[in-house]
Amino acid sequence: MPEIDKVAWILIEGGRVLSTRSRGKDVWYLPGGKREPGESDLDTLRREVAEELSVAVDVAGAVHVGTFTAQAHGHGADTTVRMTCYRAEHDGELRPANEIAELAWLGYADRHRTSPVDQIIFDHLLAADLLR
């Protein structure tokens, strides 16, 4: 079974989590992306967030939130995504870049607007009392 290996950034403010929508997509995703060959989790996190949101993530202070697996949105039923998530501070002003059309702060009520793996992550964040 094919698996997509991704790393995501969990940034929470006021009980809401930062999410992104790519151009041409109608589903919201946590910021981050696919690992390139030879990259560590934190290298991927740093590169993807800089490319998508034009900020520098403080990977030295990054904290692993969890690793979650679900069917990959927009792929065949036999493809899964494995999302390794980290919380970390950042430097700079958040702004959409490259393929990102917009960003938003989503609460638990927005869960249905996200990808299947993000829905599992939203459940985890709610259970941890981090999301409203």
Side-chain angles (χ1 to χ4, degrees):
M1 177 181 274
E3 183 175 74
I4 300 168
D5 181 20
K6 297 179 96 174
V7 177
W9 185 34
I10 307 289
L11 182 62
I12 298 172
E13 288 187 8
R16 295 183 176 278
V17 64
L18 180 67
S19 294
T20 60
R21 188 184 60 76
S22 297
R23 294 187 207 316
K25 304 281 185 175
D26 60 355
V27 172
W28 292 84
Y29 300 91
L30 294 170
K34 295 177 189 170
R35 181 189 319 269
E36 291 185 355
E39 275 188 329
S40 69
D41 286 357
L42 298 180
D43 290 339
T44 304
L45 183 69
R46 178 189 301 117
R47 177 184 53 76
E48 284 288 343
V49 171
E51 288 174 2
E52 292 183 354
L53 299 172
S54 304
V55 297
V57 171
D58 175 16
V59 295
V63 175
H64 182 248
V65 172
T67 301
F68 307 89
T69 303
Q71 186 196 351
H73 180 259
H75 293 268
D78 65 336
T79 302
T80 59
V81 63
R82 182 175 157 269
M83 187 89 74
T84 305
C85 300
Y86 290 89
R87 290 186 74 180
E89 297 299 319
H90 71 282
D91 189 32
E93 182 181 337
L94 296 165
R95 64 182 198 284
N98 293 318
E99 77 273 10
I100 304 303
E102 61 183 318
L103 56 89
W105 295 94
L106 303 182
Y108 192 75
D110 300 302
R111 178 184 179 275
H112 68 282
R113 300 169 58 195
T114 67
S115 71
V117 73
D118 285 13
Q119 290 178 14
I120 293 169
I121 297 165
F122 272 49
D123 292 343
H124 176 81
L125 295 174
L126 181 71
D129 201 30
L130 296 170
L131 199 61
R132 288 192 217 143

